[in-house]
Amino acid sequence: MSEKKKIALLGSTGSIGTQTLEVVKSYLEIFELSVLTANRNADLLIEQALEFRPNVVVIADESLYEKVESALFDADINVYTGEEALAQVTQMDEVDIVLTALVGFSGLKPTIAAIEAGKNIALANKETLVVAGEIITKLARQKGVNIYPVDSEHSAIFQCLTGEYQNPIEKIYLTASGGPFRGKKRADLQNTTKEQALKHPNWEMGAKITIDSASMMNKGLEVIEAKWLFGLKNEQIDVIVHPQSIVHSLVQFKDGSMKAQMGLPDMKLPIQYALTYPNRLETDFERFNFMDYPTLTFEKPDLETFTNLRLAYEVMEKGGNAPCVLNAANEISVAAFLADKIKFLEIAEINEKAVSELAFIKNPSLEQLFETDKQTRIFASNLIG
Ligand code: NDP
């Protein structure tokens, strides 16, 4: 019997997905891919499947099923399609851990299905915890499932906490690069183009998270993600802008001591750690050189300009379905910005309107969260016209 760790990689064609495949490729004696999935990028999915030979692939877009199925027929790889299949494949016996690198709300159902089946989760898809953090973490506890963070800031916190389980956290500091518009004011951002917003100074990522970084929504989503991952109170989570992206985040303990995790920005490291925890595998990733970074700097986030971050704190405080509203509105407004339908500053305006106008539910069920997501998308789309 194989003792390799069997991975279901959801979103294998994306930024995190392709970097996960690089990690797997360097350790084929340790990892094995059971499942690969994509939404529409059939060509890359086929290429990946022929190289890594998973048991199953899922192409979410049903119109592409035949193309993928016929390309993989001779390779004896099962091909499925649709939303339900995406959730079901996480439950297969041939899966030990599910790495969720889908983008947005689409990650929620498969993550729940995986937890229901007792599979550990390596979580990149932060939106899942933003939308349904309470339900997901409760379910994970009931099922004895571990959720290992892939997001670099949360991985940093997780690494700082290793060996500290008996020591309560006083506070955590999530670092933020500040994105491409750090130092800019609202007046400077009136005519921001998509190309400018897609140019992140330190990280190469998918389009949605890159725009979220430019608007600081990403940091807001990460604050809520941290609350659920580490069981923190709202006031224990702070954000500090650190333009060099070398300190990936910090934990402050009750004795005042602070631990930070540092390194060059490279998502392969947190991906690998989530898959191998508590072990660290040798890598040839580029090493940090102090002489290249003689000055590491820290500054306060500008909540007047980047109102999305303030809004994220507000919905976290409000609780209930409010974070779900913010997430859905943001998915719609970011997609509209990427389609040149709205201006950059309108992203936050639409998000704010949705949060103030959608009906509030204090203790939403999963069904109510799905309905909230749906209603918010309709509301935000109507604002865009
Ligand atoms: P990408 O947009 O690069 O990739 C998203 C992946 O999900 C692709 O494989 C895409 O398929 C698939 N996908 C998208 N929508 C759907 C859908 N509706 N149904 C099924 N599959 C879908 O995103 P990233 O890799 O940048 O980000 C993934 C997640 O990881 C996000 O939640 C992000 O916030 C988080 N994250 C990303 C980081 C990064 O460095 N990129 C860092 C930390 C967190 P297809 O290619 O066919 O469209």
Side-chain angles (χ1 to χ4, degrees):
M1 205 176 80
S2 150
E3 295 200 349
K4 293 182 188 179
K5 191 171 268 188
K6 299 187 262 340
I7 304 168
L9 174 54
L10 308 187
S12 63
T13 49
S15 161
I16 292 289
T18 49
Q19 293 179 83
T20 302
L21 292 178
E22 283 181 51
V23 168
V24 168
K25 213 169 167 171
S26 344
Y27 277 102
L28 288 171
E29 67 281 17
I30 295 178
F31 304 122
E32 186 176 308
L33 279 158
S34 307
V35 176
L36 294 174
T37 83
N39 188 27
R40 303 208 73 245
N41 193 345
D43 291 332
L44 183 55
L45 182 65
I46 291 166
E47 198 185 299
Q48 292 175 340
L50 291 174
E51 179 176 358
F52 289 93
R53 302 282 164 158
N55 306 56
V56 166
V57 305
V58 179
I59 180 85
D61 185 322
E62 297 181 14
S63 69
L64 294 162
Y65 170 76
E66 269 176 34
K67 177 177 178 166
V68 180
E69 211 275 335
S70 61
L72 299 181
F73 187 77
D74 288 339
D76 201 20
I77 295 170
N78 293 313
V79 180
Y80 300 111
T81 186
E83 212 183 277
E84 290 305 317
L86 201 58
Q88 280 166 6
V89 293
T90 64
Q91 302 188 320
M92 297 187 327
D93 286 345
E94 299 84 0
V95 172
D96 297 321
I97 187 163
V98 179
L99 196 145
T100 63
L102 300 167
V103 69
F105 191 84
S106 64
L108 181 58
K109 267 191 190 164
T111 307
I112 290 177
I115 298 174
E116 294 273 13
K119 310 293 183 185
N120 285 330
I121 306 287
L123 183 117
N125 176 239
K126 67 192 84 185
E127 293 91 340
T128 286
L129 280 187
V130 171
V131 167
E134 189 158 8
I135 292 175
I136 297 269
T137 48
K138 194 171 162 200
L139 187 63
R141 273 195 305 276
Q142 279 168 2
K143 298 282 176 183
V145 158
N146 295 317
I147 303 180
Y148 302 111
V150 169
D151 224 341
S152 60
E153 294 78 358
H154 305 72
S155 175
I157 302 289
F158 186 56
Q159 293 180 54
C160 292
L161 290 176
T162 301
E164 300 277 6
Y165 293 108
Q166 72 283 20
N167 294 321
I169 299 169
E170 186 166 275
K171 197 165 189 167
I172 65 165
Y173 291 89
L174 296 177
T175 53
S177 70
F181 305 137
R182 184 176 65 86
K184 300 258 188 268
K185 296 290 169 195
R186 287 181 69 80
D188 307 320
L189 296 175
Q190 295 291 349
N191 296 313
T192 295
T193 64
K194 184 166 77 180
E195 289 68 30
Q196 290 167 325
L198 283 170
K199 246 192 211 127
H200 194 281
N202 305 338
W203 297 96
E204 272 199 29
M205 310 178 285
K208 194 245 174 197
I209 183 175
T210 308
I211 300 301
D212 283 349
S213 298
S215 73
M216 291 207 74
M217 184 76 266
N218 183 48
K219 210 48 55 181
L221 300 178
E222 286 179 10
V223 166
I224 303 173
E225 180 187 10
K227 172 191 170 85
W228 295 114
L229 274 176
F230 305 112
L232 298 171
K233 296 202 179 84
N234 301 348
E235 58 275 17
Q236 287 178 292
I237 311 166
D238 224 331
V239 170
I240 190 85
V241 174
H242 166 49
Q244 297 81 22
S245 298
I246 294 299
V247 176
H248 297 307
S249 281
L250 308 94
V251 178
Q252 182 176 306
F253 293 95
K254 297 265 183 193
D255 61 356
S257 172
M258 295 171 91
K259 277 168 92 174
Q261 188 263 336
M262 297 170 63
L264 291 173
D266 184 345
M267 283 308 297
K268 292 199 293 301
L269 195 129
I271 290 169
Q272 178 165 307
Y273 192 69
L275 293 174
T276 62
Y277 172 85
N279 301 317
R280 293 183 182 275
L281 300 183
E282 198 175 327
T283 74
D284 58 3
F285 303 159
E286 194 186 340
R287 271 25 177 186
F288 174 76
N289 179 345
F290 281 94
M291 295 313 116
D292 292 339
Y293 293 86
T295 314
L296 295 179
T297 60
F298 301 90
E299 56 198 67
K300 256 172 92 117
D302 173 359
L303 300 185
E304 299 296 317
T305 305
F306 300 100
T307 54
N308 268 335
L309 179 54
R310 178 180 46 71
L311 194 57
Y313 270 102
E314 277 171 29
V315 300
M316 179 168 71
E317 196 61 46
K318 209 167 162 188
N321 67 341
C324 176
V325 170
L326 176 60
N327 178 69
N330 186 60
E331 285 193 34
I332 295 294
S333 57
V334 169
F337 174 68
L338 284 169
D340 297 314
K341 288 187 184 158
I342 59 167
K343 292 186 162 193
F344 182 70
L345 290 177
E346 288 179 288
I347 296 175
E349 287 164 17
I350 290 168
N351 295 349
E352 191 128 23
K353 275 203 185 104
V355 168
S356 68
E357 295 198 24
L358 267 287
F360 178 64
I361 306 172
K362 197 164 186 295
N363 290 307
S365 64
L366 201 51
E367 291 69 32
Q368 285 172 315
L369 289 175
F370 276 97
E371 188 56 26
T372 298
D373 178 76
K374 191 171 142 200
Q375 293 307 329
T376 309
R377 283 168 196 269
I378 294 170
F379 177 87
S381 304
N382 285 341
L383 289 179
I384 291 155

XYZ file of all heavy atoms in Angstrom, residues 22 44 50 61 81 94 100-101 111 139 149 190 201 204 221 238 282 300 310 318 326-327 366 374:
195
model
N 4.105 22.534 -8.317
C 5.578 22.622 -8.268
C 6.108 21.968 -6.995
O 7.123 21.271 -7.014
C 6.023 24.089 -8.288
C 5.951 24.740 -9.656
C 6.439 26.180 -9.600
O 7.538 26.425 -9.072
O 5.689 27.053 -10.073
N -5.067 23.575 -19.768
C -4.072 23.381 -18.707
C -4.431 22.177 -17.830
O -3.556 21.406 -17.420
C -3.932 24.660 -17.860
C -2.872 24.627 -16.760
C -1.489 24.248 -17.321
C -2.782 25.970 -16.027
N -2.283 14.778 -17.572
C -1.402 13.839 -18.274
C -0.048 13.750 -17.590
O 0.607 12.716 -17.603
C -1.251 14.256 -19.739
C -2.533 14.082 -20.570
C -2.369 14.640 -21.972
C -2.953 12.596 -20.634
N -17.002 23.714 -15.466
C -17.863 24.188 -16.548
C -18.299 23.011 -17.429
O -17.471 22.382 -18.107
C -17.083 25.226 -17.369
C -17.949 25.861 -18.435
O -18.781 25.153 -19.049
O -17.781 27.066 -18.670
N -17.915 16.521 -14.112
C -18.171 17.950 -14.315
C -19.273 18.441 -13.384
O -20.038 17.631 -12.842
C -18.545 18.218 -15.794
O -18.642 19.632 -15.993
C -19.881 17.582 -16.176
N -9.477 7.784 -1.845
C -8.106 8.061 -2.299
C -7.669 9.491 -1.970
O -6.804 10.053 -2.637
C -7.980 7.866 -3.814
C -8.270 6.475 -4.323
C -9.750 6.214 -4.554
O -10.572 7.119 -4.315
O -10.087 5.097 -4.971
N -7.655 23.568 -0.868
C -8.720 24.353 -1.504
C -8.142 25.643 -2.071
O -7.915 26.603 -1.357
C -9.856 24.683 -0.506
O -9.323 25.491 0.534
C -10.473 23.438 0.079
N -7.878 25.630 -3.359
C -7.327 26.818 -4.031
C -8.310 27.365 -5.054
O -7.921 27.948 -6.059
C -5.995 26.484 -4.678
N -15.500 22.473 0.491
C -14.806 22.438 1.786
C -15.682 21.742 2.823
O -15.207 20.898 3.602
C -14.450 23.869 2.253
O -13.747 24.515 1.202
C -13.584 23.850 3.510
N -17.866 22.480 12.560
C -17.936 21.183 11.875
C -16.571 20.484 11.912
O -16.481 19.270 12.159
C -18.389 21.402 10.426
C -18.673 20.159 9.594
C -19.840 19.367 10.181
C -18.990 20.539 8.134
N -3.521 26.459 7.479
C -3.571 27.646 6.620
C -2.530 27.631 5.517
O -1.389 27.209 5.737
C -3.296 28.799 7.598
C -2.632 28.194 8.772
C -3.032 26.757 8.834
N -8.911 58.153 -8.274
C -10.142 58.361 -9.052
C -10.106 57.617 -10.390
O -11.080 57.004 -10.789
C -10.360 59.860 -9.351
C -10.607 60.719 -8.127
C -11.952 60.420 -7.472
O -12.781 59.713 -8.036
N -12.144 60.921 -6.262
N 3.246 44.843 -5.990
C 4.692 45.012 -5.870
C 5.473 43.736 -5.503
O 6.606 43.565 -5.935
C 4.848 46.073 -4.772
C 3.542 46.113 -4.044
C 2.500 45.659 -5.020
N 2.863 37.550 -7.053
C 2.125 37.260 -8.302
C 0.983 36.322 -7.978
O 1.205 35.188 -7.562
C 3.060 36.586 -9.306
C 3.793 37.605 -10.119
C 4.357 37.054 -11.400
O 3.770 36.103 -11.947
O 5.373 37.601 -11.819
N -10.362 40.512 4.529
C -10.802 39.104 4.509
C -9.871 38.269 5.387
O -10.311 37.353 6.091
C -10.809 38.565 3.075
C -11.731 39.276 2.060
C -11.587 38.637 0.678
C -13.189 39.232 2.500
N -4.722 42.759 14.728
C -4.295 44.067 14.226
C -3.617 43.903 12.872
O -3.082 42.829 12.572
C -3.292 44.666 15.231
C -3.589 46.128 15.473
O -4.120 46.771 14.559
O -3.277 46.611 16.587
N 13.363 19.952 3.200
C 14.438 20.742 2.605
C 13.966 21.338 1.266
O 13.273 20.659 0.497
C 15.605 19.796 2.342
C 16.906 20.488 2.146
C 18.032 19.467 2.023
O 17.961 18.397 2.670
O 18.963 19.774 1.276
N 1.112 52.409 9.839
C -0.333 52.188 10.083
C -1.096 52.099 8.773
O -0.811 52.875 7.859
C -0.887 53.395 10.840
C -1.141 53.174 12.306
C -1.500 54.502 12.923
C -3.007 54.662 12.886
N -3.609 54.753 14.197
N -11.618 48.887 6.769
C -12.484 49.322 7.880
C -13.807 48.544 7.847
O -14.294 48.056 8.861
C -12.730 50.831 7.762
C -13.655 51.383 8.831
C -13.908 52.875 8.709
N -14.210 53.390 7.397
C -15.355 53.181 6.718
N -16.308 52.423 7.221
N -15.539 53.704 5.520
N -20.087 42.971 13.562
C -21.523 42.732 13.416
C -21.843 41.230 13.428
O -22.831 40.783 13.998
C -21.963 43.331 12.067
C -23.366 43.809 11.992
C -23.560 44.654 10.731
C -25.015 44.786 10.382
N -25.268 45.419 9.087
N -20.588 41.049 2.634
C -19.396 41.772 2.154
C -18.660 40.953 1.100
O -18.263 41.468 0.049
C -18.454 42.079 3.336
C -17.139 42.748 2.940
C -17.382 44.082 2.243
C -16.237 42.960 4.167
N -18.496 39.668 1.355
C -17.768 38.824 0.403
C -18.468 38.768 -0.958
O -17.832 38.920 -1.998
C -17.605 37.408 0.958
C -16.907 36.516 -0.044
O -15.724 36.700 -0.317
N -17.636 35.614 -0.658
N -26.584 27.443 7.176
C -25.856 27.356 5.910
C -26.772 27.759 4.740
O -26.361 28.494 3.836
C -25.361 25.921 5.732
C -24.199 25.708 4.788
C -23.036 26.642 5.095
C -23.739 24.264 4.852
N -26.725 34.800 -2.651
C -27.488 34.986 -3.883
C -28.121 36.380 -3.933
O -27.995 37.104 -4.926
C -28.583 33.893 -3.933
C -29.291 33.790 -5.242
C -30.183 32.544 -5.227
C -31.469 32.837 -5.940
N -32.521 31.895 -5.581
